[in-house]
Short mmCIF file of all heavy atoms in Angstrom, two decimals:
data_model
loop_
_atom_site.label_atom_id
_atom_site.label_comp_id
_atom_site.label_asym_id
_atom_site.label_seq_id
_atom_site.Cartn_x
_atom_site.Cartn_y
_atom_site.Cartn_z
N LEU B 109 -8.95 -2.46 -9.89
CA LEU B 109 -8.24 -3.61 -10.32
C LEU B 109 -7.90 -3.52 -11.84
O LEU B 109 -6.78 -3.79 -12.22
CB LEU B 109 -9.07 -4.92 -10.04
CG LEU B 109 -8.52 -6.20 -10.62
CD1 LEU B 109 -7.20 -6.59 -9.89
CD2 LEU B 109 -9.56 -7.31 -10.47
N GLN B 110 -8.87 -3.20 -12.62
CA GLN B 110 -8.62 -3.02 -14.04
C GLN B 110 -7.65 -1.91 -14.38
O GLN B 110 -6.81 -2.09 -15.25
CB GLN B 110 -9.98 -2.81 -14.75
CG GLN B 110 -10.91 -4.05 -14.70
CD GLN B 110 -10.24 -5.34 -15.09
OE1 GLN B 110 -9.58 -5.43 -16.10
NE2 GLN B 110 -10.44 -6.32 -14.21
N ALA B 111 -7.72 -0.83 -13.66
CA ALA B 111 -6.80 0.28 -13.87
C ALA B 111 -5.34 -0.17 -13.57
O ALA B 111 -4.43 0.15 -14.32
CB ALA B 111 -7.18 1.47 -12.98
N TYR B 112 -5.13 -0.91 -12.46
CA TYR B 112 -3.85 -1.39 -12.13
C TYR B 112 -3.32 -2.39 -13.11
O TYR B 112 -2.13 -2.36 -13.51
CB TYR B 112 -3.81 -1.98 -10.73
CG TYR B 112 -4.30 -1.02 -9.62
CD1 TYR B 112 -4.86 -1.47 -8.48
CD2 TYR B 112 -4.17 0.37 -9.79
CE1 TYR B 112 -5.33 -0.67 -7.46
CE2 TYR B 112 -4.64 1.23 -8.83
CZ TYR B 112 -5.21 0.74 -7.65
OH TYR B 112 -5.62 1.58 -6.70
N LYS B 113 -4.18 -3.27 -13.60
CA LYS B 113 -3.76 -4.20 -14.65
C LYS B 113 -3.31 -3.46 -15.90
O LYS B 113 -2.40 -3.90 -16.54
CB LYS B 113 -4.90 -5.21 -14.93
CG LYS B 113 -5.11 -6.27 -13.85
CD LYS B 113 -6.21 -7.22 -14.26
CE LYS B 113 -6.30 -8.38 -13.39
NZ LYS B 113 -7.37 -9.31 -13.82
N ARG B 114 -4.02 -2.42 -16.28
CA ARG B 114 -3.67 -1.65 -17.52
C ARG B 114 -2.27 -1.07 -17.32
O ARG B 114 -1.62 -0.78 -18.29
CB ARG B 114 -4.73 -0.57 -17.77
CG ARG B 114 -5.94 -1.00 -18.42
CD ARG B 114 -6.77 0.14 -18.94
NE ARG B 114 -7.23 1.05 -17.91
CZ ARG B 114 -8.35 0.91 -17.17
NH1 ARG B 114 -9.15 -0.11 -17.35
NH2 ARG B 114 -8.65 1.85 -16.30
N GLN B 115 -1.90 -0.83 -16.10
CA GLN B 115 -0.55 -0.27 -15.82
C GLN B 115 0.50 -1.31 -15.69
O GLN B 115 1.63 -1.02 -15.34
CB GLN B 115 -0.63 0.60 -14.58
CG GLN B 115 -1.46 1.87 -14.77
CD GLN B 115 -1.00 2.71 -15.94
OE1 GLN B 115 -1.85 2.98 -16.77
NE2 GLN B 115 0.22 3.16 -15.98
N GLY B 116 0.18 -2.57 -15.90
CA GLY B 116 1.13 -3.63 -15.91
C GLY B 116 1.23 -4.41 -14.59
O GLY B 116 2.11 -5.22 -14.43
N TYR B 117 0.35 -4.15 -13.69
CA TYR B 117 0.30 -4.96 -12.41
C TYR B 117 -0.37 -6.24 -12.63
O TYR B 117 -1.31 -6.33 -13.39
CB TYR B 117 -0.41 -4.14 -11.31
CG TYR B 117 0.43 -3.02 -10.79
CD1 TYR B 117 0.55 -1.80 -11.54
CD2 TYR B 117 1.16 -3.08 -9.60
CE1 TYR B 117 1.38 -0.77 -11.04
CE2 TYR B 117 1.92 -2.08 -9.15
CZ TYR B 117 2.04 -0.92 -9.89
OH TYR B 117 2.82 0.11 -9.38
N ALA B 118 0.08 -7.30 -12.00
CA ALA B 118 -0.47 -8.65 -12.08
C ALA B 118 -0.87 -9.14 -10.70
O ALA B 118 -0.18 -8.94 -9.71
CB ALA B 118 0.56 -9.58 -12.70
N VAL B 119 -2.00 -9.83 -10.70
CA VAL B 119 -2.52 -10.37 -9.46
C VAL B 119 -1.61 -11.50 -8.94
O VAL B 119 -1.27 -12.38 -9.70
CB VAL B 119 -3.97 -10.88 -9.60
CG1 VAL B 119 -4.45 -11.62 -8.36
CG2 VAL B 119 -4.92 -9.73 -9.95
N PHE B 120 -1.23 -11.45 -7.67
CA PHE B 120 -0.45 -12.52 -7.07
C PHE B 120 -1.20 -13.22 -5.90
O PHE B 120 -0.73 -14.21 -5.36
CB PHE B 120 0.93 -12.11 -6.70
CG PHE B 120 1.02 -11.18 -5.46
CD1 PHE B 120 1.10 -11.67 -4.18
CD2 PHE B 120 1.04 -9.81 -5.68
CE1 PHE B 120 1.19 -10.82 -3.08
CE2 PHE B 120 1.17 -8.93 -4.60
CZ PHE B 120 1.19 -9.45 -3.33
N GLY B 121 -2.34 -12.64 -5.55
CA GLY B 121 -3.10 -13.21 -4.42
C GLY B 121 -4.45 -12.58 -4.32
O GLY B 121 -4.65 -11.49 -4.85
N ALA B 122 -5.34 -13.29 -3.61
CA ALA B 122 -6.71 -12.74 -3.47
C ALA B 122 -7.35 -13.27 -2.19
O ALA B 122 -7.06 -14.38 -1.82
CB ALA B 122 -7.56 -13.05 -4.68
N LEU B 123 -8.16 -12.45 -1.60
CA LEU B 123 -9.03 -12.86 -0.44
C LEU B 123 -10.48 -12.71 -0.84
O LEU B 123 -10.98 -11.63 -1.05
CB LEU B 123 -8.75 -11.93 0.75
CG LEU B 123 -7.34 -11.90 1.39
CD1 LEU B 123 -7.32 -10.83 2.46
CD2 LEU B 123 -7.03 -13.26 2.00
N GLU B 124 -11.13 -13.83 -1.04
CA GLU B 124 -12.54 -13.77 -1.42
C GLU B 124 -13.37 -13.46 -0.21
O GLU B 124 -12.98 -13.79 0.93
CB GLU B 124 -12.95 -15.14 -2.05
CG GLU B 124 -12.23 -15.41 -3.36
CD GLU B 124 -12.69 -16.75 -4.00
OE1 GLU B 124 -13.64 -17.34 -3.53
OE2 GLU B 124 -11.99 -17.13 -4.96
#
Side-chain angles (χ1 to χ4, degrees):
L109 173 67
Q110 294 310 312
Y112 302 153
K113 285 182 171 182
R114 281 192 300 273
Q115 293 305 122
Y117 286 77
V119 173
F120 70 87
L123 296 173
E124 294 182 11

